[in-house]
Structure formats: structure tokens, C-alpha cells
Amino acid sequence: MQKVYGYVRVSAKDQNEDRQMIAMREANVPEKNIVVEKMSGADFERPKYLRLTRRMKRNDILYIKSIDRLGRNYAEIQEQWRFLTKEKGADIVVLDMPILDTRIGRDLLGTFVSDLILQVLSFVAENERTNIRQRQAEGIAAAKEKGVHCGRPFHVLPENFEEVCLRWKAGELTATAAAQACGMSRTTFSRRANGVKK
């Protein structure tokens, strides 16, 4: 018997999947068959997605909101599409792009058109991923140039840190005693102390 599934993906735990869930409900995908995953789309090593595809059988239907919800890697999107439609014999419906509905246009022209559009959209999805990474790198470089610290925030050192650090380097205190005197863990003390000159 044919089953209808929905796959909803957001890249981070703090992102909201409501928009995709509304689209799934509007497409009448049964709530119990909607798989929600909060993981990057960089590859297909996603536990919930893999479980879903193992469960799918011939003539089942998979709904996704847009092609980039399936993934952002051009070659892997193509491979997954082929795997699901050819090997599994399932259908895929991309809600934002009605022409990407494998249930319609099964003739040669329909298949050609949907394959061509899939290739273009897959390329766009991967290209966007590349652009995001480039924009992040450019933003970090610009911030560093302005003297903005990127990464973990530095904690303010205690007033006695430099004095304790010099005593530790002179061998007057053990690392453990020095860390305790500064109210820090030994690891943090050692890491920060390496930046203090004798």
C-alpha cells in the first residue's frame, strides 16, 4: 500500500521548521509520517533521513518543501534523486517547484524537463552553500581587520594574574597552586599563562 511521507530539514537547532510543516499539512501529508531533522544539508549522512529512505517502498511519495531541504551538495542531490526514484521506485514532490513532481510527465519530454530543472536547482543549492561559506570567511576577515575578536570570548583576567604567572614561571608556585590563586582551572591558567612573558 502506498505511503506518503514528508521530510523537513533545518540546518541548526535554533532554526524554525514551521514554514515547512505548514506546507506539509497543506499537502495532506500525515503528521505521523513527517520526519523533522535539524542538521546541515552539506551531505546525506543524516540519521533520520537515512531511516526514512530505508522505510520507503515502491510507489511511496516523499514531499519536500524545496530542493535545498533535501540537500546542498549538487552531486549528492542528483544521486539521492536517482536512488529514490529509480532504485526505490518512489515518487518525489517538491512543493515549491510543481514541475519537480515525478508522478506527472513520465514520458520522455516530461522526464527530460524535470531532470534538467533538477540539475539547475541542485547547482543553485550547492552554489548558495559555497557563497554562504565565502561570505562567512569575508565577514570574519573584515572583523579581524577591525580588531574584533572572533571565536570564544576572552574572560577578564584577575588582577593578580600577571604576578601569579611570573611566580609560576619562576618556579615559586605549581601550576595547580597558581590556577587556584587566580580562581581558574589549571588548563585555562596554563593556556593564558603562555601568553605572559617572563
Side-chain angles (χ1 to χ4, degrees):
M1 185 178 153
Q2 181 190 69
K3 287 192 176 177
V4 175
Y5 296 99
Y7 181 68
V8 170
R9 184 186 66 76
V10 289
S11 299
K13 290 189 179 355
D14 61 346
Q15 289 182 333
N16 194 310
E17 67 272 7
D18 289 351
R19 185 178 61 88
Q20 295 176 68
M21 291 298 289
I22 290 166
M24 293 296 157
R25 289 184 195 110
E26 287 174 355
N28 296 315
V29 177
E31 195 90 24
K32 64 182 171 69
N33 290 350
I34 299 173
V35 173
V36 179
E37 191 145 53
K38 298 194 176 194
M39 284 191 82
S40 166
D43 61 46
F44 283 87
E45 295 303 312
R46 296 176 240 139
K48 291 182 180 180
Y49 174 79
L50 293 172
R51 275 196 300 275
L52 170 63
T53 57
R54 280 195 295 269
R55 223 169 41 217
M56 290 181 70
K57 305 275 188 271
R58 179 165 296 281
N59 297 321
D60 285 351
I61 304 171
L62 176 64
Y63 282 86
I64 54 174
K65 174 82 168 106
S66 56
I67 198 70
D68 66 342
R69 297 304 84 204
L70 190 60
R72 287 191 179 272
N73 180 302
Y74 176 71
E76 289 188 358
I77 290 172
Q78 299 284 329
E79 173 57 28
Q80 283 300 305
W81 191 275
R82 189 197 61 73
F83 168 71
L84 291 170
T85 59
K86 305 286 190 271
E87 289 184 32
K88 284 278 190 177
D91 281 304
I92 303 173
V93 178
V94 181
L95 295 169
D96 281 356
M97 185 67 56
I99 198 163
L100 288 178
D101 181 342
T102 60
R103 300 170 303 172
I104 55 175
R106 290 178 184 260
D107 61 352
L108 187 60
L109 180 60
T111 301
F112 171 75
V113 169
S114 66
D115 283 353
L116 186 63
I117 290 169
L118 173 66
Q119 287 189 28
V120 171
L121 292 176
S122 300
F123 171 78
V124 168
E126 179 166 336
N127 196 46
E128 178 59 18
R129 184 171 148 250
T130 302
N131 288 340
I132 288 168
R133 269 188 278 161
Q134 183 178 343
R135 286 193 297 267
Q136 282 176 330
E138 288 169 356
I140 290 168
K144 283 183 177 177
E145 202 169 285
K146 288 181 180 176
V148 176
H149 172 73
C150 297
R152 286 177 141 176
F154 283 125
H155 295 289
V156 178
L157 294 173
E159 287 181 20
N160 67 340
F161 180 77
E162 196 168 329
E163 176 195 333
V164 171
C165 186
L166 292 173
R167 288 181 61 204
W168 169 68
K169 288 191 175 194
E172 296 173 24
L173 293 170
T174 65
T176 303
Q180 286 174 347
C182 291
M184 305 167 102
S185 73
R186 185 176 166 172
T187 307
T188 303
F189 174 80
S190 297
R191 186 175 65 245
R192 300 299 297 272
N194 287 325
V196 176
K197 294 177 178 154
K198 287 185 183 181

